[in-house]
Amino acid sequence: MPRRNNQRTGRSGRPGRPAPTFGDATARVERGPSFDGDEEYVVRPIPGARATKTYRCPGCDHEIMPGVAHVVVWPAEKLGGPDDRRHWHTGCWSGRGTRGLTRRWS
């Protein structure tokens, strides 16, 4: 009889590390931009209906206008405040490993 693996995995895909939740929204943990090496980030999708402000994407240096779906990203290791969060276009975040950043994460 095959052995069962009883180890639980969270939505982040790591054993014992569940994905963070924020109210009714769920985030995922991913590796960061290429210049950060192995640093991990919490990524939370923002639907267009909830995007009410203008932000500047660090991936392309263009504005993310209200009503545009995007992702909010912050370092997974520290639970910082709003100053640690960055708003990215979904496509810019997806392509972060294949192109350089136009804006340094500060």
Side-chain angles (χ1 to χ4, degrees):
M1 176 178 274
R3 226 173 77 167
R4 275 181 74 171
N5 185 359
N6 287 329
Q7 190 175 25
R8 300 270 183 218
T9 58
R11 291 191 70 187
S12 65
R14 279 194 208 91
R17 187 171 181 185
T21 58
F22 303 93
D24 60 347
T26 300
R28 60 191 181 269
V29 177
E30 297 181 11
R31 292 195 185 270
S34 59
F35 68 85
D36 285 326
D38 290 337
E39 192 167 0
E40 292 183 330
Y41 290 85
V42 178
V43 181
R44 179 180 174 200
I46 303 295
R50 303 232 2 164
T52 59
K53 293 169 57 177
T54 301
Y55 298 98
R56 175 122 357 228
C57 174
C60 66
D61 204 31
H62 288 108
E63 289 183 341
I64 303 171
M65 301 304 290
V68 174
H70 61 282
V71 294
V72 177
V73 179
W74 64 92
E77 292 303 317
K78 61 180 183 177
L79 297 172
D83 292 340
D84 295 323
R85 294 187 307 232
R86 296 292 177 265
H87 294 253
W88 290 67
H89 290 108
T90 304
C92 292
W93 180 254
S94 296
R96 69 195 175 279
T98 59
R99 64 179 186 180
L101 296 174
T102 58
R103 202 164 225 214
R104 189 74 174 156
W105 190 299
S106 52

